[in-house]
Amino acid sequence: MTAEELMQKAIEARALSYSPYSHFAVGAALLCRDGTIYLGANVENASYPVSMCAERNALYHAMMEGKKKDDFVALAIVANGEHECSPCGMCRQALSELYPSSAPIYLGNLTGAIKETNTKELLPFAFRKEDLQK
Ligand code: THU
């Protein structure tokens, strides 16, 4: 599957966004080794911090279907911004632990621009479970 095809799935997921507060709809599509694609969109709440980002929704969606880090092959994230959608800090932390550092992350917008990145680039010097050792 090409980056453009996976991005198209993220655009489909974006249509499911519930974002009445920010009016900033985000979609994500996570491709797994077995060919399954898990979708996610941002889901907001009147109590703002309760909101969930699109990419974490896709990741957790896959995990709740039994998928693990090694199953993840590629992730696409899209919003209607001037530039490619850049994941927030919380999502960078989640991805750095749960998504393979060698797998591509495609950031896009609705103009068709796509930037490829990865967890190392998004969050160098991440806090890791090894850092919890006392
Ligand atoms: N958002 C995402 O879902 N993913 C990102 O990568 C950036 C931000 C959401 C969170 C919130 O619902 C809205 O976009 C505005 O911040």
Side-chain angles (χ1 to χ4, degrees), residues 22 24 26 42 44 53-55 77 85-88:
S22 70
F24 190 74
V26 185
N42 56 329
E44 299 183 346
C53 290
E55 49 275 60
I77 307 166
C85 186
S86 180
C88 79

Side-chain angles (χ1 to χ4, degrees), residues 17-19 21-28 41-45 48 51-56 77-79 85-89 91 107:
S17 166
Y18 174 75
S19 42
Y21 305 104
S22 70
H23 303 287
F24 190 74
V26 185
N42 56 329
V43 177
E44 299 183 346
N45 192 278
Y48 296 174
S51 305
M52 176 56 67
C53 290
E55 49 275 60
R56 269 180 297 143
I77 307 166
V78 71
C85 186
S86 180
C88 79
C91 287
L107 309 178

Side-chain angles (χ1 to χ4, degrees), residues 54-132:
E55 49 275 60
R56 269 180 297 143
N57 249 346
L59 194 59
Y60 299 158
H61 181 185
M63 291 175 74
M64 290 308 100
E65 296 285 332
K67 293 295 194 294
K68 296 200 161 46
K69 188 171 186 172
D70 285 349
D71 294 313
F72 304 142
V73 169
L75 172 67
I77 307 166
V78 71
N80 185 20
E82 192 183 334
H83 303 289
E84 297 89 345
C85 186
S86 180
C88 79
M90 235 192 281
C91 287
R92 290 174 194 226
Q93 179 67 30
L95 289 166
S96 78
E97 179 161 335
L98 302 169
Y99 186 79
S101 59
S102 56
I105 300 176
Y106 302 115
L107 309 178
N109 68 9
L110 298 185
T111 70
I114 297 180
K115 182 181 280 183
E116 180 177 339
T117 186
N118 55 56
T119 59
K120 285 264 167 60
E121 218 169 61
L122 288 171
L123 191 63
F125 200 51
F127 183 73
R128 303 155 308 143
K129 61 171 178 280
E130 292 77 12
D131 296 317
L132 289 171

